Amino acid sequence: MNEQALINELKQPQYQTMTDQQAADAINAKTVQQVRPVEAQQIRLTLASRGRLAAIKRVGENTTAPEPPYDACATLMTLLDADDVIDLQNPAVAAASQVLIQHNLLTQADADAIALLAVQTVRWVDAEGIGECGIGFIINARKAIAGGA
């Protein structure tokens, strides 16, 4: 358990007037957004549903297509066909996305829809490695705070 994260959280003013149970309930209910790699299949389905996959595939398979956007399309199709996960935070992926937008193979709305696939809402206690937070955790963390933690 990440006790320091819980201690830091409990130091925030909104928890000062809460009972141990109220604080535990509030902490267990807290959520945060995390950016994670996206399954290639999710991106493929999003591109297909937005009518973009066929054009990207067509350009990526045409070795006589101009560069750019040939390389961006060919690389994207290779990643999608590998059926792995794609880190949308990778600078090369972001750059390729801009190339596709500049060449009208994607719109900014398409890129935004794909970027949203990477954002997941998770419980704060899970993101911090705390797990389900009971009143015992709260009591111990408050004792640590009282002791100068």
Side-chain angles (χ1 to χ4, degrees), residues 37-48 53 76-88 114 117:
V38 179
E39 296 287 332
Q41 180 66 15
Q42 287 182 285
I43 296 171
R44 188 181 304 113
L45 289 172
T46 300
L47 288 170
L53 185 61
L76 176 58
M77 290 312 303
T78 300
L79 290 170
L80 293 177
D81 291 342
D83 210 24
D84 202 355
V85 294
I86 299 172
D87 180 2
L88 298 177
I114 292 167
L117 296 173

Side-chain angles (χ1 to χ4, degrees), residues 55-141:
I56 292 170
K57 186 175 183 177
R58 192 169 38 254
V59 172
E61 290 175 347
N62 180 359
T63 57
T64 62
E67 178 53 49
Y70 166 76
D71 196 42
C73 292
T75 301
L76 176 58
M77 290 312 303
T78 300
L79 290 170
L80 293 177
D81 291 342
D83 210 24
D84 202 355
V85 294
I86 299 172
D87 180 2
L88 298 177
Q89 300 301 302
N90 182 313
V93 173
S97 178
Q98 287 306 307
V99 168
L100 296 176
I101 291 169
Q102 290 168 0
H103 289 85
N104 297 318
L105 292 162
L106 283 182
T107 64
Q108 187 60 55
D110 296 327
D112 292 345
I114 292 167
L116 280 175
L117 296 173
V119 179
Q120 295 181 341
T121 301
V122 297
R123 294 182 337 147
W124 179 82
V125 291
D126 295 331
E128 292 295 332
I130 295 170
E132 191 68 24
C133 183
I135 62 170
F137 286 171
I138 301 298
I139 291 168
N140 290 338

Side-chain angles (χ1 to χ4, degrees), residues 10-58:
L10 282 173
K11 286 180 180 179
Q12 294 184 30
Q14 68 265 30
Y15 299 107
Q16 301 305 311
T17 60
M18 292 184 186
T19 66
D20 294 336
Q21 186 62 58
Q22 289 170 330
D25 292 344
I27 286 172
N28 285 323
K30 181 178 178 174
T31 59
V32 294
Q33 291 188 329
Q34 290 183 332
V35 178
R36 297 186 177 170
V38 179
E39 296 287 332
Q41 180 66 15
Q42 287 182 285
I43 296 171
R44 188 181 304 113
L45 289 172
T46 300
L47 288 170
S49 70
R50 298 176 77 86
R52 301 296 180 176
L53 185 61
I56 292 170
K57 186 175 183 177
R58 192 169 38 254

